[in-house]
Amino acid sequence: MEYKFSGMARTQGSSIVRDILKLTQGTEVLSLAGGLPADAFFPVEAVAQAYERVFRLGGTTALQYGLTEGYTPLRERLTTMMASQGISVTRDNIIMTTGSQQTIDLVSRVLLDPQDTVLVESPTYLAALQAFKSYGANIVSVNTDSNGMQLDDLEAKLKEHQPKFVYVIPTFSNPSGNVWSMERRTGVVELCRKYGTLIFEDDPYGRLKFDENLNFPSLFSIDQQQGGDGHVMYTSTFSKTVAPGVRSGWLIADQAIVDKVAKAKQSADLHSSSIDQRALNELLDFFDLDGHIRSVSNEYHSRMLRMTTLMKERQWEGITWNDALGGMFMWVTLPEGFLSDRLLELAIQEGVAFVPGQVFYADLSGSNHMRINFTHTDPSLLPEAVDRLDRALKMYTEERLEKSVR
Amino acid sequence: MEYKFSGMARTQGSSIVRDILKLTQGTEVLSLAGGLPADAFFPVEAVAQAYERVFRLGGTTALQYGLTEGYTPLRERLTTMMASQGISVTRDNIIMTTGSQQTIDLVSRVLLDPQDTVLVESPTYLAALQAFKSYGANIVSVNTDSNGMQLDDLEAKLKEHQPKFVYVIPTFSNPSGNVWSMERRTGVVELCRKYGTLIFEDDPYGRLKFDENLNFPSLFSIDQQQGGDGHVMYTSTFSKTVAPGVRSGWLIADQAIVDKVAKAKQSADLHSSSIDQRALNELLDFFDLDGHIRSVSNEYHSRMLRMTTLMKERQWEGITWNDALGGMFMWVTLPEGFLSDRLLELAIQEGVAFVPGQVFYADLSGSNHMRINFTHTDPSLLPEAVDRLDRALKMYTEERLEKSVR
């Protein structure tokens, strides 16, 4: 029969990252497209032990229905973990989710009515754009440079649009890898307080620092230090520090927001896997997570350096990128007028994939950018990946030349 | 600060079941209110083994991001399981979810626009009503008796409302415990086909049969036998056959619907725990699920009989109930004019809880009904629970008498 789908179903785009994955699956294409952590560093043994403990210590309760807000001892533990990052909350400010994506969806659900405005960085996280769009939001980009959101433009747009919230990834952004300066962090917090606007701070990568002496305080902690009254919502996840498969993220916010999110979650899926949450809590009892994060970050750093060294050797004309200070992504800028989606077609022919920049912009600008993931591909394959990219770039430059001649 | 929540957040009710749980937590109240399976029968040892296998056999891939549609071998296995229940599909017709509640939420998301009508039984599952409401649906009750939805009323309402779908729990309903007759099953399928309306069949309890020779074909299988063209969506779960903690349910539907649900799920949480899904798949390799379901059902049957025997002994005047043929619930009807929510207040004072019937009706009728769960309370405590209920009933009858005298 013919189905009449809802407005939400009609606006939900397919993920380009997923489409690229499908396109490259089972082929010899080297994918720099996905946002996947390095499998080789998953602490499989420790995680296995943690699950074993769950069943040894209290299997019966682990298998029964649990609280929507999440496993209480894990929420308690998170208050301590977050305190070490300058965020001082009680467990009533924390709700566990099935990863950051669910946090984004539930926050959207309890805050966004159709036509409500959300301000975002330019570029910003693709799947957040899609989630906001599916709730009918009007998404407005704020001018963003390598230091973060530009304060004058943010202020103008706060005034003009009275947005429901400002969504930001201030540390090791997806896709740009950027880190906001202290001035911008403080400035955005102050402006949002001035205009009574919520900030939604997404921090999945913050702990993947390449220099552990660097310190990038969260907007949440800055707001708290200034005696803020709950206008920052903060989300993070274990996906990048332990592993994505444990499907566990969390939201930290004012209790009024957490309560609404809990009711939304109850309707959405009752609760996330309590087995996974209990296993995480057991794991954190005996596993040196900080040490693990340090060694994973060191490895990511060396992969990033390997990648940029290989790219520099090619001496590509007019192509620039940032040297990431952490996280999982590099942001490459092609010369003005280059279209990275056409380059991607040629790159896939040559056997390498990335994500074209355009999809990370609410206004679909940014067509001369590309996002490159440096964490997932085995380092031994990076020279081959860069060779293929080099061939695709040469083909593309020739193609452009031919067109301009005609 | 003051928060402006969305329309969705404002319509989401708190669950009365959850409120009762909170009220009774840490007290000596015996709760017949929850919809919990019996913990004592969870196959903890087998489940523990299954998780151990997951990490032994492929821990690394289990910990990486997985497919939104779910773990492929488990979806394959479900095609075989469902075939034995007369449902013939391929894995492309199946998507895994974080339990039935998420299936209900995602189906609502891709089908319901505000003001769309959903037809439901009267009474029906509370949390489904809440999910439909949160998407702005207009919920209309169809007259329902112990044989199922009444066909004349259904036809009148299909014509009048042109609903997006008809939501039904034909086997061991929550809350009523009822089983639809074959005539109603066939009739509803035929009527919905005639009017081009989708059926959403919720079947969490169907396998908990007290007489294993009984056979209640699903509306999905009836539609297929009649050469239907995909107008039944079917959902079930492992929550009641293995354990709720594994948080795994599934939707079976036409591929066009599954595709839309997959995109919605991608935006909602990327995917459900792949560790849990892999563990279930391992479990089903060596665990006698059919035998387990038989012994759990036998135990539930004997608990139900114990409960009804104790209730009969009290010789309550004008109070009736159905003898459930399976599932987890009894549906008790008090004399006309009795208000089960007032009775609940007295019952909690006496130390026993149930769910008042009203909450299961879209039109808030049914105030003289109550739902009693017979699966979760330890059988040794049932006499005490019924004694307390008896005292509450006596107090309530006296209270009514006093009021009518005044």
Side-chain angles (χ1 to χ4, degrees), chain A residues 335-355:
Chain A
E336 201 65 46
F338 273 49
L339 299 173
S340 59
D341 50 359
R342 174 60 190 149
L343 176 63
L344 174 64
E345 290 171 2
L346 299 168
I348 288 176
Q349 282 176 29
E350 290 302 310
V352 64
F354 57 84
V355 184

Side-chain angles (χ1 to χ4, degrees), chain A residues 1 3 6-7 12 18 63 65 69 105 109-110 113 229-231 240 245 247 260 269 271 273 276, chain B residues 1 3 6-7 12 18 63 65 69 105 109-110 113 229-231 240 245 247 260 266 269 271 273 276:
Chain A
M1 66 181 275
Y3 305 109
S6 66
Q12 68 199 4
R18 207 166 173 243
L63 287 176
Y65 284 109
E69 289 83 355
D105 183 65
R109 189 192 286 231
V110 304
D113 284 314
D229 60 343
H231 74 275
K240 278 78 186 185
R247 306 299 310 122
K260 288 286 184 193
D269 66 7
H271 64 89
S273 168
D276 293 348
Chain B
M1 67 181 274
Y3 305 109
S6 66
Q12 69 199 4
R18 206 165 172 241
L63 286 176
Y65 284 109
E69 289 82 355
D105 183 65
R109 189 192 286 232
V110 304
D113 284 314
D229 61 340
H231 73 277
K240 277 78 186 186
R247 306 299 308 124
K260 288 286 183 192
Q266 206 195 355
D269 66 6
H271 65 88
S273 168
D276 294 347

